[in-house]
Amino acid sequence: MEAQTEPQAEARIPLSKERVLRAAVGLADEGGIGSLTMRRLAERLGSEPMSLYYHVANKDALLDGVADLILGEIIEATGKIEISSGDWKTVARQRILAAREILLRHPWAPEVIESRTNMSTSSLRYFDSLIGLLLEAGFSIDLAHHALHALGSRAMGFTQEMYDDSQPLDDEALEFFLEQVADEYPHITTMVKSISHDADTTLGWCDDQFEFEFGLDLILDGLERLRGKPN
Amino acid sequence: MEAQTEPQAEARIPLSKERVLRAAVGLADEGGIGSLTMRRLAERLGSEPMSLYYHVANKDALLDGVADLILGEIIEATGKIEISSGDWKTVARQRILAAREILLRHPWAPEVIESRTNMSTSSLRYFDSLIGLLLEAGFSIDLAHHALHALGSRAMGFTQEMYDDSQPLDDEALEFFLEQVADEYPHITTMVKSISHDADTTLGWCDDQFEFEFGLDLILDGLERLRGKPN
DNA sequence: ACCTGAACACCGTTCAAGT
DNA sequence: ACCTGAACACCGTTCAAGT
């Protein structure tokens, strides 16, 4: 009924699955997925590693929960975009870009989501609503199915980039391409040269947002063309 | 000059970067990427963990080397498909499907390739040749650049599947969808029901090869349509 | 019901040494 | 030039116990 006589009897918030998962997201947001360990998570929560195992079966289940939590954010954001607000393509586009916005705030999340072998209830809900949108727009079940595969992770707002363009391609790297290996990779050299001539390269090599939308529209337009065809 | 008098003086093959990398691939092929550890790798090579570090800077460098080795296989296979053998689309298609065939033999490889932040010389070579194909077909440099982003990992023959369909969707899971959650995920239920009615579901839920080609063609056709346009 | 301490079987890697 | 042994700083997790 009364605080102990212990020196610093901080109001000790008890653990809970919710609290554990939220702390895990926080840890990953700050230091990347590599910094999310059971031991560090416990430390952040002011408890002991083994205490986590009461709320979460093991690390794999922790990651399941974390993925589900992020997908929950996505569902909340995309749920607001109603089917009534336009043709299927603009609605799908808006939803996918909304999902992307959330994932941009959790750069480690795509990797975690991808690594889950079992679909969480959140991802089932997300895909169910996307399928509903397509069927309502007149897609055959088969075409809707192919559409999901064709979109792949893009349906949830992310792509796996094959090249790291996070830093602006400094002069050293540029020099490297233009002089050192121009004859070994002539076409890449041409491309790099061309891109670096374009406006603000200070932002980084490529405009990821533009490229994401370009690829997304390519697929959505292709699907629109197949919709209604006899199949 | 002569074998030692030691009991079992097996012809001791000396380590080399080549041998280390090949053994690493073998280990991953057999037990997945999780089973590739420095310690197990050393054991397989009949030497000690620390011996590996003479041939490879650290585990990250090992993975770089492994990715490069697989990409080398891909270059060898795709190099045979000449530009002269058809229009750009069929050539690109053939090359990409050839790359895919190799990756199907190393299911762990996409993840490793994706995780490399620095492009290996092999991937530079692969993309250089792909860009060359596009430019020669009349793509503008910008469109070729967008094409690479739109294809993403598909350019090297893989996609990241969002749902694990490796097992054939057993009766239990089917039952689950058809009865338990039909009203919670109505559209997924419809789709699953439809797919499970189709021919040989014994092969697994989805036909990955078909879906890969469907998505690939969607993108290639879209690019073909943009090619030649004023942009 | 909720949390913990000690211990185990693993990791990758440093460092100083052996041939 | 090539390899090694001992040791360190980390992991996730089992198990038996505490409140």
Side-chain angles (χ1 to χ4, degrees):
Chain A
M1 286 310 196
E2 208 177 345
Q4 290 293 104
T5 52
E6 309 278 331
Q8 26 77 278
E10 296 270 353
R12 182 86 150 71
I13 313 155
L15 290 180
S16 70
K17 185 163 184 185
E18 169 84 11
R19 229 163 80 74
V20 168
L21 294 181
R22 294 220 174 278
V25 168
L27 217 45
D29 282 344
E30 286 166 29
I33 197 63
S35 69
L36 173 54
T37 71
M38 299 301 271
R39 296 172 120 99
R40 272 197 267 219
L41 183 53
E43 194 184 17
R44 148 147 328 195
L45 287 162
S47 70
E48 300 303 314
M50 286 316 300
S51 308
L52 304 176
Y53 286 81
Y54 185 81
H55 300 93
V56 125
N58 49 36
K59 186 162 187 192
D60 211 54
L62 174 76
L63 293 177
D64 281 342
V66 162
D68 202 54
L69 200 148
I70 300 292
L71 289 172
E73 279 191 54
I74 287 179
I75 286 175
E76 206 196 347
T78 57
K80 294 173 190 157
I81 297 153
E82 293 294 326
I83 294 188
S84 59
S85 61
D87 65 320
W88 78 271
K89 221 167 67 179
T90 27
V91 175
R93 209 183 119 96
Q94 282 173 354
R95 283 194 192 166
I96 288 171
L97 293 180
R100 176 175 160 82
E101 261 180 62
I102 285 162
L103 289 174
L104 287 176
R105 298 205 293 269
H106 307 290
W108 48 270
E111 187 183 331
V112 173
I113 292 170
E114 230 178 317
S115 72
R116 301 301 85 204
T117 48
N118 302 322
M119 289 187 95
S120 68
T121 58
S122 293
S123 72
L124 285 173
R125 276 183 61 197
Y126 181 74
F127 281 112
D128 194 75
S129 126
L130 184 54
I131 295 168
L133 174 61
L134 298 179
L135 294 183
E136 201 166 320
F139 279 63
S140 71
I141 290 177
D142 275 357
L143 185 57
H145 179 211
H146 301 328
L148 292 192
H149 279 280
L151 284 166
S153 67
R154 238 186 271 259
M156 299 210 310
F158 65 96
T159 50
Q160 62 315 331
E161 292 294 329
M162 288 286 90
Y163 2 74
D164 181 20
D165 60 347
S166 50
Q167 57 260 45
L169 187 69
D170 55 10
D171 291 349
E172 187 197 350
L174 192 58
E175 200 70 12
F176 179 71
F177 270 108
L178 299 191
E179 317 252 316
Q180 302 305 114
V181 294
D183 51 341
E184 208 164 350
Y185 313 112
H187 305 113
I188 292 185
T189 307
T190 306
M191 188 172 282
V192 168
K193 215 181 287 190
S194 157
I195 293 169
S196 68
H197 279 166
D198 289 359
D200 59 339
T201 54
T202 47
L203 292 177
W205 191 354
C206 307
D207 183 342
D208 285 341
Q209 183 65 24
F210 178 90
E211 301 299 349
F212 183 85
E213 295 186 22
F214 179 90
L216 177 59
D217 289 336
L218 208 57
I219 294 172
L220 294 181
D221 290 344
L223 292 171
E224 168 68 13
R225 214 166 280 115
L226 292 175
R227 186 178 65 104
K229 275 200 186 170
N231 185 23
Chain B
M1 285 308 195
E2 207 178 346
Q4 291 291 105
T5 53
E6 307 277 331
Q8 26 76 279
E10 297 271 351
R12 182 81 150 72
I13 314 153
L15 289 180
S16 70
K17 185 165 184 183
E18 169 82 11
R19 229 163 79 73
V20 167
L21 294 181
R22 294 222 174 275
V25 169
L27 217 46
D29 282 344
E30 287 165 29
I33 197 64
S35 69
L36 173 54
T37 70
M38 299 301 270
R39 295 172 121 100
R40 271 196 269 219
L41 182 53
E43 195 184 17
R44 149 148 327 194
L45 288 162
S47 71
E48 300 304 313
M50 286 317 299
S51 307
L52 303 176
Y53 287 80
Y54 185 81
H55 300 94
V56 123
N58 50 35
K59 185 161 187 190
D60 211 54
L62 174 75
L63 293 177
D64 281 341
V66 162
D68 203 55
L69 201 148
I70 301 292
L71 290 171
E73 279 191 54
I74 287 178
I75 286 175
E76 207 197 346
T78 57
K80 293 173 191 159
I81 296 152
E82 292 295 326
I83 294 189
S84 59
S85 62
D87 65 321
W88 78 271
K89 222 167 66 178
T90 27
V91 175
R93 210 184 119 97
Q94 282 173 353
R95 283 196 193 165
I96 288 170
L97 292 180
R100 176 175 161 83
E101 261 179 61
I102 284 162
L103 288 175
L104 287 177
R105 296 205 293 269
H106 308 290
W108 48 271
E111 188 183 331
V112 172
I113 292 170
E114 230 179 314
S115 72
R116 303 299 88 203
T117 49
N118 301 323
M119 288 186 97
S120 67
T121 59
S122 293
S123 72
L124 285 172
R125 275 184 61 198
Y126 182 74
F127 281 112
D128 195 75
S129 129
L130 184 54
I131 295 167
L133 174 61
L134 298 179
L135 294 182
E136 202 165 318
F139 278 63
S140 72
I141 290 177
D142 274 357
L143 185 58
H145 179 211
H146 300 328
L148 292 192
H149 279 281
L151 284 167
S153 66
R154 237 184 273 259
M156 300 210 309
F158 65 96
T159 50
Q160 62 315 330
E161 293 293 331
M162 288 287 90
Y163 1 74
D164 180 20
D165 59 348
S166 50
Q167 58 261 45
L169 187 70
D170 55 10
D171 292 347
E172 188 197 349
L174 192 59
E175 199 70 11
F176 179 70
F177 270 108
L178 298 190
E179 317 252 317
Q180 302 306 115
V181 295
D183 52 341
E184 208 165 349
Y185 313 113
H187 305 113
I188 291 185
T189 306
T190 305
M191 187 172 283
V192 168
K193 215 181 289 191
S194 155
I195 293 168
S196 67
H197 278 166
D198 289 359
D200 60 339
T201 53
T202 47
L203 293 178
W205 191 354
C206 307
D207 182 342
D208 285 341
Q209 183 66 23
F210 179 91
E211 301 300 348
F212 183 86
E213 295 186 23
F214 179 90
L216 178 59
D217 288 335
L218 208 58
I219 294 172
L220 294 181
D221 290 344
L223 293 171
E224 168 68 13
R225 213 165 282 116
L226 293 174
R227 185 178 65 104
K229 277 200 185 168
N231 187 18

